[in-house]
Amino acid sequence: QVGDSCSAARDCGVGLYCGDCAAAGRTRPSCIRDLAIQPTTIVKGLPFNRYSWLVTHNSFSIVGEPSRTGVERVTFYNQEDTVTNQLRNGVRGLMLDMYDFGGDVWLCHSLQGQCYNFTAFEPAIDTLKEVEAFLSENPTEIVTIFIEDYVHAPMRLSKLFTAADLMKYWYPISEMPTSGQEWPTVTDMVAKNHRLLVFTSDASKESSEGIAYQWSYLLENESGDPGIDPSACPNRKESQPLNSRSASLFMQNYFPTIPVESEACKENSVGLPQMVQTCYAAAGNRIPNFIAVNFYMRSDGGGVFDVQDRINGLTLCGCNTIAACQVLGHQRAHARTLEHLIELPLL
């Protein structure tokens, strides 16, 4: 079980691996979670914005990823396993930095809005094909992609998603709620096959290519070091204030400006729960629909998975964890949600 001593992954149960967290003072190897519980499998059929989902920051910036340009890469890394594995482990949101590079769209962890051969990872279509394969194999799952957009060639992003065969899952802008209204239920989204939400940081792409401008539909706290200081939870400058009701989705960033792999287990176990509570208050008692972290599997036991479970449990049925929730009908779930948001602290 979580926290039990181990010497290898085989000593731990399903959804666990054997690791340690020296940064938090746990040097003895123990079983640590690496698998999320999807809240929609327990409390079903609610609007999309009632749930909390796990997001990986710079999902493509993977430790040990071989260079595709023939030049040694010089950049920071944020994750440890493939995008396919992230999705299999329950990640449902991907942050992807897209650039014009070599006549194509590449994923780069770069600077000054330009991709270089020493900051490039891979053509974006390779990662998007991983997403397509996952959606094809899992017909009830919904994935959200957040593009940090440095692509300037006209229609290049639209052509990219078409080439990756992802348009059949596309959630159209025309059906995205505005002015803070509720999203459709996950049941309706699956029935219509609207299972891929894509947001861009480039406002012009909404009218030119039909890709939703992120901050028209989403509130977001500041990223980097300001987003991990538990004394405050400022909004990102592009976002409306977190307590605004102009949008019904809320993204909480929780990762330092400079990622340190060995420190992530402490950040995800100790700092994240504190920061979720701070941002919950700053957002006017609104849960984060997306929790974005570095090295998502690293913790001293439960980490981001436990935080997500507790948020979903408390808000969806008033339980301390989503696993304790009973399957509720729409009306009962709605009533319990309102009741417990008033009566219970989030974490």
Side-chain angles (χ1 to χ4, degrees):
Q1 303 297 318
V2 173
D4 288 349
S5 297
C6 59
S7 58
R10 64 178 177 273
D11 299 328
C12 303
V14 175
L16 305 173
Y17 72 98
C18 187
D20 59 37
C21 184
R26 300 188 63 166
T27 56
R28 186 184 68 178
S30 61
C31 295
I32 296 172
R33 281 187 70 178
D34 65 2
L35 185 65
I37 297 173
Q38 294 307 318
T40 50
T41 64
I42 297 177
V43 179
K44 303 180 180 181
L46 296 182
F48 180 75
N49 57 292
R50 298 292 188 87
Y51 300 94
S52 186
W53 314 94
L54 176 58
V55 178
T56 46
H57 172 232
N58 288 337
S59 315
F60 62 93
S61 185
I62 299 166
V63 174
E65 186 77 4
S67 172
R68 299 280 291 271
T69 65
V71 176
E72 183 178 357
R73 193 180 295 112
V74 182
T75 190
F76 294 119
Y77 296 89
N78 304 90
Q79 305 301 332
E80 297 171 293
D81 57 343
T82 66
V83 166
T84 294
N85 202 57
Q86 292 172 31
L87 293 169
R88 288 174 177 168
N89 283 344
V91 170
R92 290 296 176 268
L94 306 173
M95 288 179 158
L96 305 178
D97 297 2
M98 296 191 181
Y99 291 76
D100 291 311
F101 182 69
D104 202 349
V105 179
W106 275 59
L107 301 178
C108 301
H109 196 185
S110 201
L111 64 162
Q112 299 179 334
Q114 184 173 346
C115 183
Y116 303 90
N117 56 8
F118 58 88
T119 61
F121 276 83
E122 67 179 15
I125 194 168
D126 293 353
T127 294
L128 294 184
K129 284 182 176 179
E130 292 184 74
V131 176
E132 195 284 325
F134 176 80
L135 289 171
S136 177
E137 293 166 5
N138 298 273
T140 62
E141 297 298 334
I142 299 168
V143 173
T144 305
I145 293 176
F146 304 93
I147 303 173
E148 188 171 323
D149 193 342
Y150 301 100
V151 177
H152 302 296
M155 303 304 293
R156 185 168 273 177
L157 278 186
S158 301
K159 293 174 182 177
L160 169 68
F161 280 93
T162 299
D165 200 22
L166 283 170
M167 297 309 295
K168 60 192 175 189
Y169 305 115
W170 195 268
Y171 194 107
I173 288 177
S174 60
E175 297 192 22
M176 287 189 176
T178 57
S179 305
Q181 295 174 335
E182 294 255 73
W183 282 70
T185 66
V186 291
T187 304
D188 289 342
M189 292 170 69
V190 169
K192 292 182 176 181
N193 211 27
H194 292 167
R195 298 190 293 119
L196 179 66
L197 281 68
V198 181
F199 297 100
T200 173
S201 61
D202 183 346
S204 70
K205 298 285 176 64
E206 181 154 334
S207 59
S208 65
E209 300 193 47
I211 304 174
Y213 178 54
Q214 181 166 328
W215 296 289
S216 292
Y217 306 93
L218 191 99
L219 305 172
E220 184 176 0
N221 74 313
E222 189 61 84
S223 60
D225 290 346
I228 64 173
D229 179 356
S231 67
C233 185
N235 59 282
R236 183 168 173 154
K237 67 180 186 297
E238 298 93 342
S239 169
Q240 293 293 317
L242 299 186
N243 61 1
S244 167
R245 292 299 181 255
S246 62
S248 51
L249 294 176
F250 169 33
M251 160 90 82
Q252 180 170 346
N253 296 305
Y254 185 80
F255 45 83
T257 301
I258 299 177
V260 179
E261 200 171 355
S262 61
E263 292 290 322
C265 64
K266 181 178 179 181
E267 294 162 0
N268 292 342
S269 301
V270 179
L272 177 60
Q274 297 174 350
M275 199 66 201
V276 166
Q277 192 67 58
T278 299
C279 290
Y280 178 70
N285 294 352
R286 170 180 286 181
I287 68 163
N289 302 104
F290 303 102
I291 306 171
V293 298
N294 288 335
F295 306 113
Y296 74 101
M297 289 191 295
R298 289 193 171 245
S299 76
D300 66 0
V304 66
F305 301 107
D306 279 3
V307 171
Q308 181 193 18
D309 285 355
R310 187 160 171 78
I311 292 171
N312 281 319
L314 287 172
T315 57
L316 295 178
C317 71
C319 302
N320 286 332
T321 177
I322 187 65
C325 290
Q326 297 178 349
V327 178
L328 302 174
H330 292 200
Q331 292 181 348
R332 184 180 174 194
H334 178 63
R336 293 291 298 277
T337 296
L338 295 178
E339 172 189 348
H340 288 283
L341 276 176
I342 294 170
E343 294 182 355
L344 296 174
L346 186 61
L347 291 173

